[in-house]
Amino acid sequence: DAGVIQSPRHEVTEMGQEVTLRCKPISGHDYLFWYRQTMMRGLELLIYFNNNVPIDDSGMPEDRFSAKMPNASFSTLKIQPSEPRDSAVYFCASRARRTGELFFGEGSRLTVL
Amino acid sequence: AQKVTQAQTEISVVEKEDVTLDCVYETRDTTYYLFWYKQPPSGELVFLIRRNSFDEQNEISGRYSWNFQKSTSSFNFTITASQVVDSAVYFCALSERETSGSRLTFGEGTQLTVNP
């Protein structure tokens, strides 16, 4: 299996621009999670989906952030407009149905200038 | 609310030393799951172990071992005969109620440096 695939791996953009991060979970996994990692706040859960339905988005910082999962094999996290404080590594993870293990992608490092 | 505390921010050891990473958790649930993840310098998060609250047996996997003690709400991780490749940030995490979707709460992480 290819694992959780995230793109882009690195993104540098200017304040005010729209940013879209993409994730392809492991086939057959029923949960998908978006996490953000910063030095100040560590690893924070932003939102998670079960069978493509958003279950808990209480971790989404503000309305500038939105996430979608149109099908079982694809999810996006969008920031519009982006701000320098959004600079972080964004991880996508999917959960194994049987074992409950959470598998992470390699992360998308976002820098907003 | 659930909370995970990793009091050791950084640990530095010399190769072949044993090292223990501490993890203390707080939860009101009787059913919960504990995890350890490794984050090497390359940045990815690597799953190491998952333990449920009803299984207090200690586990050993090669040079890795885990000591789960409900009485002290601790889930410590020991690396025996450490190697330079063990250098990474290690995260302990807690999930309440597995059926709710494995919403993991992470500790702050412990940066382990193994020097040759």
Side-chain angles (χ1 to χ4, degrees):
Chain A
D1 202 321
V4 177
I5 300 173
Q6 291 186 244
S7 64
R9 290 295 311 280
H10 301 274
E11 173 96 4
V12 180
T13 190
E14 292 186 347
M15 184 173 63
Q17 296 298 306
E18 177 180 295
V19 173
T20 299
L21 307 178
R22 298 173 179 80
C23 175
K24 176 177 168 46
I26 295 173
S27 177
H29 284 192
D30 52 352
Y31 284 88
L32 183 140
F33 302 78
W34 282 100
Y35 279 86
R36 177 171 70 174
Q37 186 177 30
T38 61
M39 289 294 292
M40 292 296 293
R41 301 174 68 90
L43 276 157
E44 307 171 271
L45 176 65
L46 300 178
I47 184 172
Y48 74 93
F49 297 83
N50 179 20
N51 294 322
N52 314 337
V53 177
I55 302 300
D56 184 350
D57 65 355
S58 59
M60 297 286 260
E62 45 196 277
D63 292 345
R64 298 185 296 107
F65 285 70
S66 62
K68 294 182 180 179
M69 192 166 185
N71 57 63
S73 59
F74 184 65
S75 176
T76 60
L77 177 67
K78 186 174 293 187
I79 308 172
Q80 166 63 22
S82 58
E83 297 183 1
R85 59 191 169 127
D86 302 331
S87 298
V89 180
Y90 291 81
F91 286 99
C92 176
S94 67
R95 171 178 172 253
R97 187 187 303 268
R98 181 176 62 84
T99 67
E101 295 173 18
L102 209 59
F103 291 88
F104 285 80
E106 294 183 316
S108 293
R109 181 175 294 278
L110 173 65
T111 302
V112 183
L113 304 174
Chain B
Q2 54 189 15
K3 184 180 178 181
V4 177
T5 302
Q6 295 178 253
Q8 304 149 306
T9 305
E10 294 181 26
I11 300 176
S12 183
V13 299
V14 177
E15 208 169 17
K16 297 184 183 177
E17 285 185 18
D18 298 348
V19 58
T20 295
L21 309 181
D22 297 334
C23 173
V24 175
Y25 61 90
E26 296 176 26
T27 176
R28 294 178 182 170
D29 275 12
T30 55
T31 302
Y32 53 89
Y33 293 78
L34 295 161
F35 301 76
W36 276 95
Y37 282 85
K38 173 182 179 180
Q39 188 174 41
S42 52
E44 72 271 26
L45 282 158
V46 179
F47 169 85
L48 295 179
I49 189 170
R50 170 180 174 263
R51 170 70 69 211
N52 75 56
S53 53
F54 299 108
D55 182 2
E56 287 194 71
Q57 275 195 331
N58 292 329
E59 181 154 340
I60 297 174
S61 176
R63 296 184 297 107
Y64 294 170
S65 62
W66 290 270
N67 183 357
F68 177 29
Q69 295 202 349
K70 287 179 78 170
S71 60
T72 56
S73 296
S74 65
F75 186 44
N76 296 337
F77 172 32
T78 297
I79 302 175
T80 303
S82 60
Q83 300 176 1
V84 173
V85 293
D86 296 327
S87 297
V89 180
Y90 290 86
F91 291 94
C92 180
L94 166 70
S95 172
E96 293 175 336
R97 301 192 305 279
E98 174 71 3
T99 53
S100 72
S102 298
R103 180 195 177 99
L104 287 182
T105 296
F106 284 86
E108 303 88 348
T110 297
Q111 169 73 60
L112 172 65
T113 302
V114 181
N115 298 298

